[in-house]
Amino acid sequence: MKNETPIRRQYLDIKKRHRDAILLFRLGDFYEAFDDDARLLARELDIVLTSKPMGKGQRVPLAGVPYHSLERHLATLIAKGHRVAICEQLTETPVKGADGGRLIERDVVRIITPGTVFEPGLLDSKSNNYIAAFYTDGRRAGIAYADVTTGDFQATEIENSQALPELQRIAPAEILLAKSEHEFSTHELPGFITQLPEKVFALEQAQKTLRKHFGAKTLEPFGLQNLPLAVSAAAAIIVYLRETQDSVAEQLTRLKTYDAANFMILDAHTLRSLEVFESGSGGISLLSVLDKTRTAMGGRLLRRWLRQPLLDVAEIVGRQEHIAFFAQHKHERAAIVNVFENLNDIERLAVRTKTAFCTAQELLALGRSIEHIPAVRAVLQRDTPRFGKVLVNLPTCETAANLIRAAINEELPSRSGEIVGCIREGFSAELDKLRKTLREGKQFLADLEAREKGRSGIKSLRVTYNKVFGYFIEVTKPNLHLVPNDFVRKQTLVNAERFVTLELKEYESLVLNSQERLSELETGIFRQVCAEVSKSRAQILAAAAAISYLDAITSLAEVADEFNYVKPHVNDTSLLRIKNGRHPVVERMTKGFVVNDAALGGNGAPNIALITGPNASGKSTYLRQIALIVLMAQTGSFVPADEAVVGVSDRIFTRIGLYDRIGVGESTFMTEMVETAEILHNATPKSLVLLDELGRGTSTFDGLAVARSVIEFIHNHPKLGGRTLFATHYHELTELEGLLPHLQNLRVEIEESGEELNFLYKISRGTALKSYGVYAAKLAGLPKPVVRRAEDLLNQYEKENSGFQFPNSKLKNETELETRLREIDLDSLSPVEAMMKLYELKNVVRQQLAERKLKTA
């Protein structure tokens, strides 16, 4: 350390306290990183890595970015999951240190992580940026999540088995875990993982943390009195935010508990399979079809609705009624949408008023936005009975609007973040007086210059100013003999001399003091205005919530009107009836989309639909189409169909598409089996299950056996039996329609013309005759010799296996039935296996009796 420069020692001392973050060290107009941080910064930002002498015989790696471009570079670092510690200069001039040396004081003012980003420029305006915490006792789990930019802070406690889907639904940018936590593999969790000491989650300390943060004597008002794990998770977020930056933690002024059982569960795999938010092929998603919101907060809410479909029929119907109004009343919809076009992000702006980050531009944008609230209320008042509850929750925010209008200039300084010049004339008498002094100073200088020209006779004399030398009188060298005796020389130039007078020095002192005082006073007034506006924050956030709701509603109404969607009848039955349904995304991408019906659950309809048909004939589209219609219906949206009856589903499961997870040692088939096991363990009679080509990742008979056993399990298990769509190439499975009373065969229709096929994309009763895989290979462009050889082999295989039957599909005689009954080991059978075995034997006997009657007749 003796050989290092003082600034190097200062850097190393600060870096010791922030070993796990990239330390950006402010040096003048740059943020600089050293040593390993410099190498990392250069690699991640693709900037030059250089070096800098920082002691006797020492050069250390260096990389840096200009201070004015920090936000852009932070966005890159945060997106890659890095923690960044911002070290600022706390003094303008050097101060005396403990070692007697003089150095500008520096320290970390903020640690930025993926879940604590506060700058609007680093965030997607239509997505929440959540930080979540998870804590479990092995049986139950506590989950809390917060968005520091909106103040949204929620917590829940659920069964441990439901924790991963819930975390995937929240999709946080960062997750806080106890260091002892090994419940999940990190690849399963969304977001950046941060581990905290176990003591942070300790219940007694967690309770103290929350009570202190909210200034509350008890946690009962937050609904946390019987949710100890939720308390631990919520407290962990507060502790972590206080460690990164106290002012960010202060944004969380409310905490709500919620019950995850009130919402449909949609895990990450299902959302991905259904392409709800992103399309794997780079095309459009369900969100992009439905999102016509005009405000950022409305866009965020619509995204949350799609992640969290409702189970409460009354709440669904309430949304439907509002959507129906705006779908039918185009004039009112146009009026309210026009207002939304002029609104900024009220939610995030309201939160920023409570921080030192708020700029004059942001405060003015907030004021201009909330001034439009009366116009929104005027539209709703055209149907007060329908929108009465929304009106009650939509305050006018007049106090905040009037204050901002009175305090902030309509025309602001051009430099973003500049405060001087933002306060309106007439708002502060003291500020107006200082401004007058400075305005009159310009006239004083003009008068002084005219007087000195007259007194000295120097017509080229100028009174001017620069930042280095302040105010001075400049005289060219040919006129120096005319300079009065009271001029005091200040600077010599090549062609001129600069002077000051006692009068000019007094004026300079007055002006500089006035400018400094004006800056301090105006900054103080601005911060005071922000503080006063933040007192109305609860009202403003309530208004923001109502406006975001209306924005999402009118977006869905506009889509329903434009694309001819209908209001589905949603109920608590097992019915699923769709007439002329369409895929909401695919129909936007193709012309002449073929509509299809669906009927599952309830009297007279199967619980399981077994769908056969060629590749590329539309089976997967049909499966996804039904799931998306159900999902949309439970968000309250209208749906792409002529008619729809949707019994509420508690969860949508999907097993669609081939892919592997080699990173965790899972092949394609193993991934398929793991996901199928998840479905069979967690589905309920109210679930909607989509299974596409199950078993194709292994040999034909292995796959066929697995596929049949899964169908039988779903059909016969007393805790399953939910609505299931099973698309397959295994035509042998269609025999199950005669064995399983709640299964029905469907097929995709095709037309054959010689060697050519025409896919009709129409679903009807019955069974496809074959898979036409060789034809699909031909369409894909395989060489003709390969296609011809495949056709020959196919004919050969079909002849060899023409007599294939499922094992045990028929009995030769009663003796065989007795034999099979004796072979059953009752002690080793589980209740579910016993029921499945009984179903199998009963159906076989029924089939034998039917054949006997037919022969007798």
Side-chain angles (χ1 to χ4, degrees):
M1 294 287 286
K2 290 182 180 179
N3 294 328
E4 291 162 342
T5 62
I7 201 165
R8 173 66 171 169
R9 290 196 291 272
Q10 184 187 49
Y11 169 82
L12 292 174
D13 180 59
I14 295 172
K15 180 61 183 175
K16 281 180 186 176
R17 292 182 270 125
H18 301 282
R19 297 180 189 274
D20 61 345
I22 299 172
L23 180 61
L24 295 183
F25 194 73
R26 182 69 180 267
L27 286 171
D29 289 340
F30 281 81
Y31 287 100
E32 298 188 349
F34 301 99
D35 307 318
D36 288 342
D37 282 358
R39 297 184 183 96
L40 179 60
L41 197 71
R43 182 175 69 249
E44 297 288 47
L45 301 182
D46 193 23
I47 58 177
V48 174
L49 177 68
T50 182
S51 63
K52 183 174 184 174
M54 298 197 77
K56 188 175 180 180
Q58 291 190 42
R59 293 191 73 88
V60 298
L62 164 70
V65 296
Y67 79 95
H68 57 77
S69 63
L70 175 65
E71 193 169 290
R72 173 166 56 88
H73 296 302
L74 276 178
T76 302
L77 295 173
I78 296 303
K80 294 185 177 183
H82 295 294
R83 294 165 58 91
V84 182
I86 306 296
C87 180
E88 291 287 2
Q89 298 175 173
L90 304 182
T91 57
E92 293 186 6
T93 56
V95 296
K96 190 174 182 180
D99 58 359
R102 299 184 68 82
L103 198 63
I104 289 176
E105 189 178 350
R106 295 179 176 85
D107 206 350
V108 170
V109 297
R110 186 175 173 207
I111 301 170
I112 305 175
T113 67
T116 62
V117 176
F118 205 74
E119 292 76 5
L122 303 183
L123 299 169
D124 177 357
S125 63
K126 285 196 171 185
S127 297
N128 282 101
N129 191 65
Y130 287 124
I131 181 169
F134 166 81
Y135 192 62
T136 181
D137 63 4
R139 185 179 67 85
R140 291 182 62 78
I143 292 176
Y145 63 92
D147 183 340
V148 296
T149 69
T150 66
D152 186 17
F153 189 17
Q154 301 192 43
T156 192
E157 196 168 297
I158 56 179
E159 292 299 317
N160 213 47
S161 60
Q162 300 302 318
L164 181 59
E166 178 63 6
L167 287 169
Q168 291 174 335
R169 178 196 68 77
I170 297 166
E174 185 172 1
I175 298 182
L176 309 178
L177 303 175
K179 286 186 177 179
S180 60
E181 179 55 57
H182 302 294
E183 184 69 25
F184 304 119
S185 301
T186 55
H187 78 274
E188 295 178 302
L189 293 171
F192 181 75
I193 307 299
T194 296
Q195 293 188 307
L196 302 178
E198 184 78 29
K199 64 181 181 181
V200 171
F201 296 88
L203 180 59
E204 187 175 347
Q205 184 59 45
Q207 290 170 332
K208 290 179 181 177
T209 297
L210 291 181
R211 287 198 301 265
K212 181 180 178 181
H213 178 77
F214 291 109
K217 292 183 178 180
T218 173
L219 298 180
E220 286 190 19
F222 306 100
L224 291 167
Q225 63 271 26
N226 298 315
L227 303 175
L229 298 170
V231 169
S232 295
I237 290 177
I238 297 297
V239 170
Y240 184 67
L241 292 179
R242 291 204 179 280
E243 289 178 354
T244 55
Q245 188 178 350
D246 234 11
S247 62
V248 172
E250 293 301 323
Q251 305 316 307
L252 303 183
T253 58
R254 304 170 298 169
L255 174 58
K256 296 189 296 184
T257 55
Y258 70 99
D259 187 350
N262 292 333
F263 306 99
M264 178 195 286
I265 298 174
L266 290 171
D267 59 33
H269 174 69
T270 297
L271 292 170
R272 184 170 57 249
S273 295
L274 298 180
E275 299 184 336
V276 175
F277 298 112
E278 295 178 358
S279 171
S281 60
I284 62 177
S285 65
L286 177 65
L287 176 65
S288 62
V289 169
L290 300 181
D291 188 4
K292 292 184 179 292
T293 56
R294 268 62 178 190
T295 70
M297 50 196 173
R300 291 194 295 270
L301 181 61
L302 182 58
R303 181 180 284 266
R304 290 200 297 273
W305 282 359
L306 292 175
R307 284 192 180 278
Q308 207 170 27
L310 299 168
L311 300 183
D312 187 308
V313 172
E315 193 171 351
I316 293 170
V317 170
R319 286 185 191 171
Q320 287 181 337
E321 289 301 312
H322 291 157
I323 293 169
F325 175 84
F326 285 113
Q328 295 163 8
H329 297 79
K330 295 185 179 182
H331 180 73
E332 283 77 6
R333 187 173 81 226
I336 205 165
V337 164
N338 185 57
V339 177
F340 293 158
E341 295 277 10
N342 297 301
L343 297 185
N344 289 283
D345 194 341
I346 297 173
E347 190 173 36
R348 283 181 171 165
L349 290 173
V351 170
R352 288 181 69 81
T353 61
K354 197 176 173 65
T355 71
F357 303 127
C358 187
T359 66
Q361 287 80 5
E362 288 172 332
L363 190 60
L364 181 61
L366 176 61
R368 286 172 172 170
S369 295
I370 59 180
E371 283 183 345
H372 290 288
I373 292 176
V376 176
R377 291 181 60 85
V379 175
L380 301 183
Q381 285 166 347
R382 298 176 190 178
D383 194 339
T384 301
R386 190 188 302 262
F387 292 104
K389 189 175 180 180
V390 181
L391 283 164
V392 168
N393 294 312
L394 181 56
T396 58
C397 305
E398 288 180 359
T399 302
N402 292 339
L403 176 58
I404 296 171
R405 189 186 308 112
I408 306 300
N409 272 325
E410 288 292 322
E411 297 295 329
L412 293 175
S414 56
R415 285 181 58 189
S416 179
E418 181 68 47
I419 291 178
V420 174
C422 75
I423 301 299
R424 191 186 290 272
E425 290 279 349
F427 188 74
S428 167
E430 185 179 0
L431 186 63
D432 290 346
K433 184 178 179 181
L434 284 170
R435 285 173 172 167
K436 183 179 179 183
T437 299
L438 291 172
R439 282 197 303 269
E440 291 175 347
K442 293 181 180 179
Q443 186 59 46
F444 170 82
L445 291 175
D447 293 343
L448 176 64
E449 183 176 291
R451 288 201 309 272
E452 293 300 342
K453 282 181 178 180
R455 183 163 72 97
S456 65
I458 305 172
K459 294 184 179 180
S460 61
L461 178 148
R462 291 189 307 121
V463 178
T464 188
Y465 166 86
N466 69 33
K467 290 183 179 180
V468 178
F469 293 101
Y471 290 93
F472 52 82
I473 301 170
E474 187 171 285
V475 179
T476 57
K477 285 194 173 179
N479 294 305
L480 290 178
H481 64 286
L482 299 174
V483 170
N485 293 332
D486 59 344
F487 277 30
V488 178
R489 182 174 280 103
K490 190 169 188 176
Q491 184 188 16
T492 300
L493 303 177
V494 175
N495 298 319
E497 296 276 355
R498 289 175 176 173
F499 302 88
V500 294
T501 64
L502 180 60
E503 184 180 17
L504 189 57
K505 288 177 70 175
E506 289 176 349
Y507 170 77
E508 181 178 57
S509 177
L510 173 67
V511 168
L512 293 179
N513 287 337
S514 296
Q515 286 177 332
E516 184 177 351
R517 174 59 185 148
L518 184 142
S519 179
E520 291 176 355
L521 180 61
E522 191 157 12
T523 299
I525 292 171
F526 177 75
R527 294 302 168 201
Q528 186 178 359
V529 170
C530 287
E532 286 298 315
V533 171
S534 71
K535 291 179 181 179
S536 299
R537 186 169 107 151
Q539 275 194 338
I540 298 172
L541 288 176
I547 289 170
S548 60
Y549 173 83
L550 292 167
D551 193 16
I553 287 293
T554 51
S555 175
L556 294 176
E558 188 172 341
V559 172
D561 183 30
E562 181 178 353
F563 301 145
N564 195 30
Y565 290 0
V566 298
K567 181 171 72 173
H569 176 66
V570 181
N571 56 40
D572 278 321
T573 70
S574 63
L575 293 174
L576 179 57
R577 302 286 187 271
I578 299 170
K579 181 178 180 182
N580 292 335
R582 302 155 358 236
H583 192 296
V585 176
V586 176
E587 76 163 342
R588 302 270 63 79
M589 302 168 63
T590 59
K591 292 183 178 180
F593 185 88
V594 178
V595 300
N596 274 298
D597 299 341
L600 288 173
N603 296 329
N607 287 337
I608 302 175
L610 184 68
I611 309 163
T612 52
N615 280 315
S617 62
K619 298 191 303 296
S620 296
T621 297
Y622 180 70
L623 264 62
R624 290 183 171 99
Q625 167 181 315
I626 292 174
L628 288 175
I629 287 175
V630 170
L631 189 157
M632 290 169 65
Q634 290 185 227
T635 64
S637 173
F638 286 21
V639 299
D642 289 352
E643 295 176 15
V645 178
V646 177
V648 166
S649 294
D650 61 1
R651 186 164 182 176
I652 296 176
F653 290 95
T654 61
R655 164 83 285 282
I656 298 174
L658 284 177
Y659 59 93
D660 54 41
R661 297 194 293 183
I662 295 300
V664 292
E666 289 184 8
S667 66
T668 298
F669 183 67
M670 181 56 70
T671 299
E672 184 179 17
M673 292 300 98
V674 168
E675 291 176 354
T676 303
E678 163 77 7
I679 295 171
L680 299 183
H681 283 300
N682 293 288
T684 75
K686 292 183 70 67
S687 300
L688 176 64
V689 177
L690 311 182
L691 295 167
D692 190 17
E693 305 297 353
L694 185 68
R696 60 184 167 178
T698 185
S699 69
T700 300
F701 295 130
D702 268 352
L704 183 57
V706 169
R708 176 176 177 175
S709 65
V710 167
I711 293 173
E712 291 176 342
F713 187 82
I714 292 173
H715 183 279
N716 299 332
H717 196 295
K719 293 185 179 180
L720 289 175
R723 293 160 294 187
T724 302
L725 295 161
F726 195 109
T728 185
H729 277 104
Y730 295 136
H731 296 89
E732 297 84 354
L733 291 174
T734 59
E735 181 181 322
L736 291 173
E737 185 181 57
L739 302 174
L740 303 178
H742 302 302
L743 180 144
Q744 184 180 86
N745 288 332
L746 300 178
R747 66 186 177 93
V748 185
E749 295 181 8
I750 60 170
E751 286 181 345
E752 293 191 58
S753 178
E755 295 184 355
E756 298 300 316
L757 299 179
N758 180 26
F759 294 159
L760 302 180
Y761 306 107
K762 193 70 177 175
I763 304 294
S764 63
R765 285 291 307 275
T767 304
L769 298 177
K770 47 188 175 179
S771 294
Y772 301 100
V774 174
Y775 182 75
K778 176 182 176 182
L779 292 179
L782 261 64
K784 290 182 179 179
V786 174
V787 174
R788 285 195 295 270
R789 176 59 176 159
E791 289 172 341
D792 293 341
L793 290 171
L794 177 61
N795 291 329
Q796 178 182 335
Y797 293 153
E798 286 178 340
K799 289 177 182 178
E800 291 175 356
N801 292 281
S802 60
F804 173 82
Q805 290 181 335
F806 276 121
N808 305 322
S809 62
K810 291 184 179 180
L811 293 174
K812 295 177 182 177
N813 50 53
E814 294 294 332
T815 304
E816 185 174 347
L817 175 61
E818 293 172 2
T819 302
R820 288 178 55 188
L821 284 170
R822 282 196 300 269
E823 289 174 350
I824 297 174
D825 184 357
L826 295 177
D827 294 330
S828 66
L829 282 181
S830 70
V832 171
E833 289 171 330
M835 183 171 290
M836 291 172 65
K837 185 65 69 175
L838 284 172
Y839 260 102
E840 179 183 310
L841 293 174
K842 182 179 179 181
N843 285 324
V844 170
V845 170
R846 184 189 296 119
Q847 185 175 346
Q848 290 291 100
L849 291 173
E851 289 179 357
R852 286 180 186 175
K853 288 181 180 179
L854 186 63
K855 289 178 180 178
T856 303

